[in-house]
């Protein structure tokens, strides 16, 4: 018996001293990246992931529209606006303002995901012709996304550590790269992207929303424009008005900003989908839920955040409202018809006076706000077509580059190149769509420039472009301070501050930051 | 802390070896094989305790020079075949053995207690040893010290009991856990100790009912803990559950009923004061009041939201244990039941524990088997109201409003400017149930190979299931509108297995005593599965089951088990003449969380002790009964980091929700995949090198002192080093981090426990005081560029304690424009435009700590330490004629808390209700106040600063228990005691929050370390008043 027991125990002991294989625990939750990104399906996933940061915090589910609408004084604070967002209204944000960090963070993540995709694609050696074509296209998309993010980084933060390849992301402490080098990298990537990307019309319906050749051309043109390389920019923009491109203005701004129709005006937009209900996604994913809260959403909170039937955090700034009232060519007071498309107000202020027009509830007037004179956003709101649900469930795509913008940028190139007459039909083309009177002349270069700049303000209101325009025109400080009647904007505000969190973790860069700002 | 229960049970096991002849005799008898001697008669008798005349059960009786023997039965009686004139040898554990000459046919033998042999036995991991042979710092709490406490959680019962051990409740909610820190936080990732239950490491402490605990040993220094090498860096807590003892069935019942309520409420603004505050906030932001807030209706007080959510809550507990045994089989069955309501509406916690413990001695005690099962079933019904929401609500709102979807009044951002959620809506419109079932099954077998050499194999299966469901009715509360019912459910299952085998050898050669242990331990990864489901669109709310939802989706799942581990260990102990004690421990551990190159770690412990009082030259000092000096040094490890960090994993979003809407059909989600982290294949074990120097002193006058100095040097600590955002790494919205080994810090301190006892006439009393003074200092970060680690309000940097509070220092609130101008003039003189960006009268002025003339980020500085420097506990026991009294006090000192509630309720950033202290806010130029102007530049004025920091020192009367035991004359069937127990009745503190016992705002293992002391409305510990009954027979 004793022997039996001893043998039994020694057997158990031997079993427990088993091989070290037990220590090789297989990850059953996540794939191994080194073997995963090796086929058409997974590399397409890698490319889709590059677009996802457009929905992150700091981007267009939330902070992105607030930051730049407030900085450009398109939007003005309303009573409920509070916290970090309020600091963009009065230009008191700082290196520790969280919204700045989030914006910077999301831009950097886009660059990373693009470089990651390019790196994975470069290791893929497909043989099937469809795969070979896919590799070319996805590389082009990645170059576009990277350039878009770098465009925001260089325009908002100036010199940032430029990450050209995946390996650069593993340089943990990289100093600042001069702006010129970043612009050059944007140009190089976009020129390559243009050669690789298909035309918008050649994409399959299920790929709608991906970067196309036209988007890359437009962004390249924009990069030239922002560097004041007007001739190069003009070439790019002009090409978009011709075949093979098929861009055209939508019949009405409402098609884009209210009805969310997939028009031929869009060159590149952030794709928002309608919220699918609590069972699928958290309606408030815009507060940091993207890729985190175990739910899927791509909608934007903008309609609820700005909407007067909802949170009503911001109003339309008085400066913007004033911009819709100007003199026509006969020096008579004129209210631009786009006022009605952009905001709700009473009759005096030219805005739309009713809402719920196309809903089952029927037309409701916008009277209750008249006595306090508050003017509310209509552009990007759903109130014309859908009742407020009390949840942020706007599916209206965020336009990043649309054809009207391209036409106005082209017109600007002509004006800056002193070809004012070539700018006239372009400006009129945009105005005509909204039934604004057509100019017969733009006057001299200075007058034309003023008209063009005014046209951009009212056509592109609430599209997060005015801040960038004012900065590149060199008129931010004087314009905003005059509009607000304060001296809030200082010279440093031409750039956002480098986020403190970046400086804390990157002493090399920190030493290059001046005046605790940029 | 002499521990008779432990001693007796442990000694019983060891003594069984010595008694084997007696047992053999019994076995032979039972098989009818005893040799029959015709000439002998039947001798019967009784064995009693000399002290109290109680019968002694299981006493061995052997006829000298023969194989004939027996043991006493449940009445202390025995019979055996013997002749008059023969000698019986009578032995019993804990009593002096006797030889008795048989003088008649009916004997009464009285045994006296053997105090000399009654040495404390300490469980130290894979074996137990007598305290006199221990060369290290081990604290033991026995079941007597654990009774009388109204704790449903084992950890809570350790609070204030042991020097060097700090226990902090996570929350006052029933069923919530606690944080335990032994000799300071020794890791950046997870500083929780290892739990060993009944000899097997890694048990779940919640599987044990507090009433089933026999003893708890805490291994504090490396010399003993090193036997658990890799898991022991933050100490080891060894729990031994009660076993059956030989004898008649014993029944222990304890039941109690009590009520609990909140100890403190904080004064809030009334409706009128609140509306004035909102008006002020609006005015200072250049905005107006809404029409409703201008109306007199808004100045009517309708709800005191604090009173509305707090309540007096009952607590009921029952526990029952049956135990007993015979020569070969011992059993213990127990059942426990707790039913407790939270003091904040409206959750109810129920727990049922079952425990079974069996042991068998077979083959002349050469084979011992043991089986035990511990099952705990918990259920939490309902939600606990959000404290935060309640305090935010406008006082003029009623609780109910039938016109609002869901029926609860709603604060509307447009009407009220306040979008707090009505806490009642969240509580009652989202009924929730969490259920958990946890079971641990232990099997062990020990074979005695040779005298002194034995081999033991022990295995544990641990498995658990949990289910949680929430049904959400349509509601409109704050910003949240839910027009249709939804439901979420989650299920989880886990299974873990541990197998350990080891040899032990104990032998005495004259004055040399040797003990050896060697073995291995194997713990595979186990299984763990969980899935979360969401359902919406219910046709009716009549049945709340997710299968009836028209839309269902999986919203989360996980499939991996934990790390797998493989270990080999050994220990050598040597004692010379009971004077010089040495022991050495070695453990080699491998963990799957590390890469192949760094998978194995070697850990060791060395200890030596000198029983100086046994030396001749000490004999003359009569005041000293016993004095032992101890010294130890050792290295332990920690592997508590996430799995799969050494390879690069694909990121598809938490629960595969990395998506983007491509395609022209609205609402289409297309999946994406990428990576977000850098792998670190070089990750390796954390190391803790601990030096301990101490002494144990017993004075003849009943005073015992245990003193230790410790120095824990933690190296290669695993930390998440912050990478620059510009790398583009990291999860969405998060700053990228990389797991590295790098940081180093020291925990140094002294701890002392003093026990005094006495007996004045019939008044028996004892007092135990323990106290610890310890400091923590980070001396290396090893991060990229050695940059400090920021976690919100805390910063970890070289030369400072871990997670020190870091922020601005308040100078004062700007009194008027002249005050501001004065500072700006200084700034201008130093070349700046202004002292502090946008500073206006009524704003907080920060201190220019770097003296450069301007306030910027560099003016932030270290403003407090969340770890208590000093902690203490006092336990007083008294007994007089059946009355007993226990008073337990516990306290900490030298600790700073970050009262984050101030940001919300004194910050006046947004129109939420606030503490009434804001009535003293700055209102007009000339006002001198500590609180700034309402709403004015709130982002700046509420920045983290020393305004949030408060002293967190407290002394709490943790427990008072007063009981009466009926004399045996009145209740002869056993012991009957009735008691009254009061818990948390009195707290002395200057802390302004609800409860100074603050753990952290995030109670996860790593969150506790980074957010320690941050009071973000932690639910306060309730005051509990109970009456109870104990019955043993």
């Amino acid at each position: 018996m004793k022997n039996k027991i001893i043998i039994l125990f020694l057997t158990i002991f031997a079993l427990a001293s088993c091989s070290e294989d037990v220590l090789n625990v297989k990850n059953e939750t996540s794939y191994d990246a080194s073997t995963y990104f090796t086929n058409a399906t997974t590399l397409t996933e890698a490319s889709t992931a590059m677009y996802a940061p457009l929905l992150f915090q700091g981007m267009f589910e939330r902070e992105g529209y607030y930051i730049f609408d407030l900085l450009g004084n398109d939007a003005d604070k309303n009573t409920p606006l509070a916290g970090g967002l309020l600091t963009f209204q009065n230009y008191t944000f700082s290196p520790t303002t969280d919204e700045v960090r989030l914006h910077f963070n999301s831009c950097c993540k886009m660059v990373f995901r693009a470089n990651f995709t390019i790196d994975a694609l470069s290791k893929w050696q497909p043989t099937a012709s469809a795969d070979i074509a896919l590799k070319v296209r996805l590389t082009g998309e990645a170059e576009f996304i990277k350039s878009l993010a770098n465009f925001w980084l260089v325009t908002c933060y100036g010199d940032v550590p430029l990450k050209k390849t995946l390996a650069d992301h593993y340089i943990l402490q990289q100093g600042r790269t001069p702006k010129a080098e970043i612009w050059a990298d944007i140009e190089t990537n976009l020129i390559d992207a243009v050669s690789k990307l298909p035309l918008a019309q050649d994409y399959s319906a299920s790929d709608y929303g991906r970067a196309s050749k036209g988007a890359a051309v437009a962004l390249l043109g924009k990069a030239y424009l922002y560097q004041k390389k007007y001739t190069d920019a003009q070439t790019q923009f002009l090409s978009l008005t011709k075949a093979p491109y098929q861009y055209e203005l939508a019949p009405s701004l409402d098609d884009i900003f209210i009805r969310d129709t997939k028009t031929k005006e869009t060159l590149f937009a952030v794709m928002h989908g309608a919220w699918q209900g609590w069972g699928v996604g958290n309606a408030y994913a815009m507060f940091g839920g993207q890729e985190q809260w175990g739910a899927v959403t791509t909608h934007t909170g903008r309609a609820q955040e700005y909407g007067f039937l909802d949170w009503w955090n911001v109003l339309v700034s008085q400066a913007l409202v004033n911009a819709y009232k100007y003199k026509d060519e006969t020096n008579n007071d004129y209210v631009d018809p786009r006022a009605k498309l952009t905001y709700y107000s009473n009759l005096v202020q030219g805005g739309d006076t009713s809402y719920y027009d196309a809903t089952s509830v029927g037309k409701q007037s916008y009277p209750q706000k008249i006595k306090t004179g508050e003017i509310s956003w209509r552009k990007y709101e759903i109130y014309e077509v859908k009742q407020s649900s009390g949840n942020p469930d706007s599916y209206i795509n965020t336009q990043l580059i649309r054809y009207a913008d391209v036409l106005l940028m082209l017109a600007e190139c002509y004006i800056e190149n002193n070809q004012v007459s070539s700018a006239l039909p372009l400006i009129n083309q945009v105005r005509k769509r909204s039934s604004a009177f057509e100019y017969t002349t733009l006057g001299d270069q200075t007058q034309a420039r003023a008209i063009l700049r005014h046209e951009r303000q009212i056509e592109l209101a609430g599209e997060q472009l005015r801040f960038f325009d004012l900065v590149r025109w060199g008129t931010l400080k004087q314009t905003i301070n005059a509009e607000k009647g304060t001296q809030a904007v200082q010279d440093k505000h031409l750039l956002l501050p480098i986020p403190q969190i970046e400086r804390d973790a990157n002493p090399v860069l920190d030493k290059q930051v001046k005046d605790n700002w940029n | 802390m002499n521990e008779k229960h432990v001693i007796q049970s442990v000694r019983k096991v060891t003594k069984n070896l010595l008694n084997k002849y007696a047992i053999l005799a019994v076995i032979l008898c039972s098989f009818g094989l005893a040799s029959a001697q015709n000439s002998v008669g039947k001798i019967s008798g009784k064995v009693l305790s000399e002290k109290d005349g109680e019968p002694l059960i299981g006493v061995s009786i052997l006829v000298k020079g023969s194989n004939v023997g027996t043991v006493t039965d449940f009445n202390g009686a025995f019979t055996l075949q013997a002749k008059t004139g023969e000698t019986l040898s009578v032995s019993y554990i804990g009593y002096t053995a006797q030889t008795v000459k048989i003088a008649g046919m009916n004997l009464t033998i009285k045994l006296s207690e053997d105090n000399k042999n009654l040495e404390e036995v300490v469980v130290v991991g894979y074996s137990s040893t007598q305290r006199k042979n221990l060369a290290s710092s081990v604290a033991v709490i026995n079941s007597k010290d654990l009774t009388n406490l109204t704790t449903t959680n084992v950890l809570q019962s350790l609070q204030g009991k042991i020097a060097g051990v700090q226990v902090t409740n996570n929350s006052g909610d029933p069923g919530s856990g606690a944080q335990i820190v032994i000799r300071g936080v020794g890791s950046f990732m997870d500083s929780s100790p290892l739990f060993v239950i009944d000899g097997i490491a890694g048990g779940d402490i919640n599987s044990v009912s507090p009433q089933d605990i026999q003893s708890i040993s805490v291994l504090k220094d490396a010399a003993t803990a090193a036997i658990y090498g890799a898991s022991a860096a933050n100490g080891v807590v060894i729990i031994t559950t009660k076993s059956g003892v030989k004898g008649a069935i014993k029944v222990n019942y304890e039941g109690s009923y009590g009520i609990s309520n909140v100890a403190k409420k904080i004064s809030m603004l009334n409706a009128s004061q609140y509306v004035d505050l909102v008006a002020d906030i609006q005015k200072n932001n250049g905005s107006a009041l809404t029409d409703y807030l201008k109306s007199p209706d808004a100045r009517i007080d309708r709800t005191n939201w604090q009173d509305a959510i707090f309540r007096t809550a009952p607590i009921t507990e029952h526990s029952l244990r049956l135990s007993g045994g015979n020569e070969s089989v011992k059993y213990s069955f127990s059942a426990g039941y707790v039913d407790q309501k939270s003091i904040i509406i409206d959750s109810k916690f129920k727990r049922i524990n079952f425990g079974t413990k069996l042991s068998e001695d077979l083959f002349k005690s050469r084979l011992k088997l043991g089986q035990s099962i511990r099952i705990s079933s918990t259920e939490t019904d309902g939600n606990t109201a959000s404290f935060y929401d309640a305090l935010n609500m406008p006082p003029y709102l009623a609780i109910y409003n039938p016109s609002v979807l869901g029926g609860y009044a709603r604060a509307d951002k447009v009407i009220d400017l306040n979008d707090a959620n009505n806490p009642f809506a969240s509580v009652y419109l989202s009924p929730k149930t969490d259920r958990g079932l946890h079971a641990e099954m232990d099997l062990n077998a020990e074979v005695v190979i040779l005298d002194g050499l034995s081999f033991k194999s022990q295995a544990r299966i641990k498995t658990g299931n949990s289910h949680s469901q929430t049904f959400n009715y349509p509601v409109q509360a704050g910003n949240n509108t839910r027009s249709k019912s939804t439901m979420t459910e989650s299920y989880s299952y886990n299974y873990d297995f541990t197998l350990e085998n080891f040899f032990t050898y104990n032998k005495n050669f004259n004055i040399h005593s040797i003990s050896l242990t060697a073995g291995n331990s194997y713990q595979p990864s186990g299984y763990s599965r969980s899935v979360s489901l969401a359902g919406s669109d219910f046709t009716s709310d009549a049945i709340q089951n997710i299968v009836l939802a028209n839309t269902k989706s999986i919203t989360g799942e996980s499939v991996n088990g934990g790390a797998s581990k493989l270990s080999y260990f050994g220990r050598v102990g040597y004692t010379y003449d009971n004077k010089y004690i040495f022991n050495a421990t070695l453990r080699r551990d491998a963990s799957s969380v590390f890469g192949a190159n760094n998978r194995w770690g070697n850990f060791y412990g060395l200890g030596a002790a000198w029983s100086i009082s046994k030396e001749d030259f000490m004999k003359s000092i009569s005041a000293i009964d016993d004095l032992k000096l101890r010294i130890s040094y050792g290295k332990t490890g920690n592997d508590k980091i996430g799995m799969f960090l050494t390879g690069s994993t694909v990121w598809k979003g938490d629960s595969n929700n990395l998506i983007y809407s491509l395609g022209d059909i609205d609402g289409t989600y297309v999946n994406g995949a990428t990576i977000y982290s850098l792998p670190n294949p070089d990750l390796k074990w954390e190391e803790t090198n601990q030096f301990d120097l101490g002494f144990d002193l017993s004075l003849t006058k009943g005073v015992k002192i245990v003193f230790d100095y410790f120095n824990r040097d933690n190296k290669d600590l695993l930390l998440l080093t912050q990478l620059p955002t510009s790398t583009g790494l990291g999860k969405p919205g998060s700053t990228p981090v990389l797991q590295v080994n790098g940081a180093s810090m020291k925990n140094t301190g002294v701890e002392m426990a003093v026990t005094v006892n006495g007996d004045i006439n019939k008044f028996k009393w004892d007092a135990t005081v323990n106290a610890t003074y310890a400091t923590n200092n980070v001396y290396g970060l090893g991060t990229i560029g050695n940059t400090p680690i920021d976690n919100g309000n805390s910063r970890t940097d070289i030369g400072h304690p871990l997670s020190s509070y870091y922020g601005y220092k308040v100078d004062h609130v700007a009194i008027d424009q002249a005050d501001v101008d004065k500072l700006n003039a200084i700034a201008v003189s130093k070349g700046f435009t202004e002292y502090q960006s946008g500073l206006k009268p009524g704003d907080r002025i920060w201190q220019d700590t770097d003296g450069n003339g301007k306030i910027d980020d560099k003016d932030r500085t270290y403003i407090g330490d969340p770890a208590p420097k000093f902690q203490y506990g006092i336990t007083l026991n008294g007994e007089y004629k059946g009355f007993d009294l226990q008073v337990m006090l516990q306290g900490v000192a030298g600790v700073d808390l970050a009262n984050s509630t101030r940001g919300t309720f004194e910050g006046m950033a947004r129109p939420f209700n606030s503490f009434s202290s804001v009535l003293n806010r700055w209102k007009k130029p000339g006002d001198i106040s500590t609180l700034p102007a309402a709403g004015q530049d709130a982002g700046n004025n509420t920045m983290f600063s020393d305004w949030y920091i408060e002293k967190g020192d407290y002394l709490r009367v943790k427990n008072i228990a007063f009981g009466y035991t009926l004399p045996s004359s009145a209740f002869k069937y056993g012991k009957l005691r009735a008691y009254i127990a009061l818990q948390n009745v009195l707290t002395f503190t200057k802390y302004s929050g609800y409860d100074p016992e603050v753990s952290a705002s995030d109670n996860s293992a790593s969150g506790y370390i980074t957010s320690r002391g941050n009071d973000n409305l932690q639910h306060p510990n309730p005051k509990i008043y109970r009456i109870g009954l104990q019955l043993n027979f």
Side-chain angles (χ1 to χ4, degrees), chain A residues 1-2 5-6 9-10 12-13 16-20 22-34 36-37 45-46 48-49 51-52 54-57 77 79-80 82 86 96 101-102 104-105 108-109 112-113 116 161 163 169-173 205-210 260 262 269-276 278-280 284 289-298 304 310-313 369 371 389-391 395 500-507 516, chain B residues 282 285-288 291 363 366-367 413-414 417 445-447 449 455-457 479-482 486 499 501-503 519-520 522-525 529 534-536 551 553 555-556 559-560 562-566 568 590-592 599-600 643-644 648-655 657-664 666-667 669-676 678 722-736 738 784-785 787 790 795 834 856-858 860 910:
Chain A
M1 192 66 212
K2 190 155 93 181
I5 294 166
I6 290 168
F9 274 74
L10 290 176
I12 293 169
F13 193 78
S17 326
C18 62
S19 79
E20 284 189 35
V22 65
L23 297 170
N24 296 319
V25 178
K26 190 169 178 290
N27 189 338
E28 295 179 84
T29 309
S30 308
Y31 295 104
D32 184 337
S34 61
Y36 184 78
F37 295 103
E45 284 184 356
T48 305
Y51 292 86
L54 291 167
L55 303 168
F56 284 1
Q57 286 181 294
K77 65 163 184 182
T79 311
L86 191 58
T96 50
R101 172 185 76 84
L102 291 167
F104 183 77
N105 186 32
C108 294
K109 286 190 167 48
F112 173 81
R113 290 184 178 190
F116 177 77
K163 307 288 186 184
H169 293 271
Y170 298 164
I171 302 171
L172 299 180
Q173 298 200 332
S206 62
D207 281 324
Y208 181 85
R210 288 184 178 274
D260 191 42
K262 310 289 181 281
V270 181
M271 301 291 290
H272 299 292
W275 175 54
Q276 308 284 302
W278 290 104
V280 180
Y284 296 95
Q290 215 58 25
E291 299 183 18
Q292 296 293 311
W293 292 355
V296 288
T297 60
T298 53
Q304 184 177 44
D310 288 286
W311 295 355
W312 207 28
N313 275 324
K369 312 294 173 189
K371 71 177 169 195
S389 73
N391 282 321
Y395 42 80
Q500 186 63 41
I501 202 152
E502 168 73 15
R503 289 163 53 188
D504 286 345
N506 189 348
N516 191 32
Chain B
Q282 292 298 95
N285 278 320
S287 308
D291 290 346
F363 306 112
R366 289 229 167 244
L367 177 61
K413 189 158 184 185
V414 176
L417 298 171
E446 184 176 4
V447 59
I449 299 165
F455 174 74
K456 187 169 185 180
S457 187
N479 289 329
N480 185 10
T481 305
R482 186 170 49 234
T486 63
L499 178 62
N501 302 287
F502 54 95
F503 293 91
N520 71 352
Y522 161 60
Q523 196 184 325
S525 169
R529 298 285 185 274
S536 57
T551 308
S553 62
T555 58
V559 293
N560 261 104
S564 66
K565 292 176 187 179
L566 191 57
Y568 298 93
S591 168
S592 66
R599 192 160 269 169
W600 288 92
M643 295 176 64
F644 314 119
S648 181
T649 54
V650 174
W651 169 248
K652 301 186 84 172
D654 277 345
S655 308
N657 64 2
L658 196 177
I659 41 98
Y660 190 66
S661 284
L662 291 167
D664 60 353
D666 200 57
Y669 300 133
V670 180
N671 286 313
T674 186
I675 64 169
Y676 73 84
L678 288 181
Q722 192 173 300
L723 300 181
T725 311
S726 59
T727 57
L729 294 159
K731 287 190 177 183
S734 313
T735 302
L738 179 66
I784 291 99
T787 47
D790 278 316
R795 171 175 274 203
E834 54 188 355
D856 56 30
D857 196 64
K858 298 205 167 52
R860 291 191 298 160
R910 293 182 59 196

Side-chain angles (χ1 to χ4, degrees), chain B residues 134 255 494 538 572 621 652 692 980:
Chain B
L134 203 59
N494 63 68
F538 284 83
V572 181
I621 306 172
K652 301 186 84 172
D692 188 293
I980 301 169

Side-chain angles (χ1 to χ4, degrees), chain B residues 92-107:
Chain B
Y92 191 53
I93 191 161
Y95 288 79
T96 310
Q98 274 189 31
T99 49
V100 181
K101 208 152 203 186
I102 302 172
M105 300 303 274
N106 205 339
L107 303 170

Side-chain angles (χ1 to χ4, degrees), chain B residues 921-970:
Chain B
R921 64 188 178 270
W922 186 96
K923 287 179 189 136
K924 58 179 190 310
D927 283 357
I928 294 173
S929 171
T930 56
L931 292 174
Q936 180 175 295
D937 203 0
N940 180 60
N941 282 321
T942 58
M943 285 197 301
F944 190 70
S945 66
D946 61 352
W947 168 58
Y948 289 85
I949 306 299
E950 293 187 45
K951 284 275 163 232
D953 301 7
Y954 71 86
L955 166 62
R956 172 168 284 175
V957 183
K958 199 78 205 159
N959 195 55
I960 300 175
F962 179 69
Y964 177 68
T965 307
L966 283 179
S968 50
S969 54

Side-chain angles (χ1 to χ4, degrees), chain B residues 987-998:
Chain B
T987 303
F988 301 95
T989 184
K990 286 182 179 162
Y991 182 62
S992 74
Y994 282 91
D995 186 345
E997 188 182 333
V998 171

Side-chain angles (χ1 to χ4, degrees), chain B residues 732-1026:
Chain B
S734 313
T735 302
V737 286
L738 179 66
Q739 186 89 54
V740 294
N741 291 88
S744 32
M745 68 180 165
K746 272 185 180 158
N747 284 289
T748 312
V750 287
E751 58 192 33
M752 187 156 90
V754 179
T755 308
V756 188
N757 58 52
D759 198 338
I760 305 161
N761 297 325
K762 292 208 163 163
F763 177 64
K764 273 169 62 179
W765 60 275
D766 64 75
T768 305
V769 178
N770 74 74
T772 310
Y773 177 84
T775 56
N776 172 287
N777 189 38
V778 176
Y779 70 88
L781 282 172
T783 58
I784 291 99
N786 255 333
T787 47
I789 304 162
D790 278 316
N791 280 298
N793 300 337
S794 70
R795 171 175 274 203
T796 295
D797 199 2
I798 293 168
H800 296 275
L802 181 67
S803 294
S804 296
Y805 302 120
Y806 190 74
Y808 292 92
K809 280 186 161 177
V810 178
D811 198 278
H812 66 285
V813 171
I815 300 161
D816 51 24
Q817 190 59 42
D819 201 14
V820 173
D821 292 345
K822 195 171 63 192
L823 288 167
N824 284 341
I826 297 167
V828 168
S829 75
K830 293 191 178 177
F832 301 107
T833 51
E834 54 188 355
Y835 175 78
Q836 185 174 320
S837 178
L839 182 66
K840 291 195 285 284
D843 279 337
R844 281 207 168 86
I845 297 174
W846 308 115
Q847 284 181 23
D848 181 18
T849 56
D850 65 356
N852 71 345
K854 184 179 186 297
I855 296 303
D856 56 30
D857 196 64
K858 298 205 167 52
D859 289 308
R860 291 191 298 160
T861 184
Y862 294 91
I863 52 179
D865 178 3
K869 282 176 193 58
F870 188 65
Q871 50 174 306
Y872 55 95
I874 301 166
T875 307
L876 307 167
N877 284 303
E879 254 181 71
Y880 182 73
K881 288 189 172 171
F883 289 96
D884 62 86
L885 177 70
Q886 184 181 64
V887 179
M888 223 292 284
L889 300 99
Q890 177 251 334
V892 295
V895 56
D896 298 309
L897 297 176
N899 187 353
S900 292
T901 59
R902 292 189 150 188
T904 312
F905 303 107
E906 272 184 355
M908 301 174 284
R910 293 182 59 196
F912 289 128
N913 199 13
S914 300
F915 295 152
S916 56
S917 52
V918 304
L919 291 171
N920 297 319
R921 64 188 178 270
W922 186 96
K923 287 179 189 136
K924 58 179 190 310
D927 283 357
I928 294 173
S929 171
T930 56
L931 292 174
Q936 180 175 295
D937 203 0
N940 180 60
N941 282 321
T942 58
M943 285 197 301
F944 190 70
S945 66
D946 61 352
W947 168 58
Y948 289 85
I949 306 299
E950 293 187 45
K951 284 275 163 232
D953 301 7
Y954 71 86
L955 166 62
R956 172 168 284 175
V957 183
K958 199 78 205 159
N959 195 55
I960 300 175
F962 179 69
Y964 177 68
T965 307
L966 283 179
S968 50
S969 54
F971 185 75
K972 57 188 169 196
Y973 308 103
K975 180 183 169 189
L976 180 63
R977 173 176 177 264
Y979 64 89
I980 301 169
L982 313 175
Q983 197 180 340
N984 299 329
V985 281
L986 205 55
T987 303
F988 301 95
T989 184
K990 286 182 179 162
Y991 182 62
S992 74
Y994 282 91
D995 186 345
E997 188 182 333
V998 171
S999 63
S1001 55
D1002 173 359
N1003 283 311
S1004 67
S1006 60
Y1008 173 69
I1009 293 164
T1010 52
S1011 70
R1012 190 173 182 186
N1014 200 336
D1015 185 3
N1016 209 353
L1017 278 181
Q1018 179 171 322
H1019 289 179
N1021 287 293
K1023 284 203 259 190
I1024 303 176
Y1025 308 83
R1026 297 200 315 168

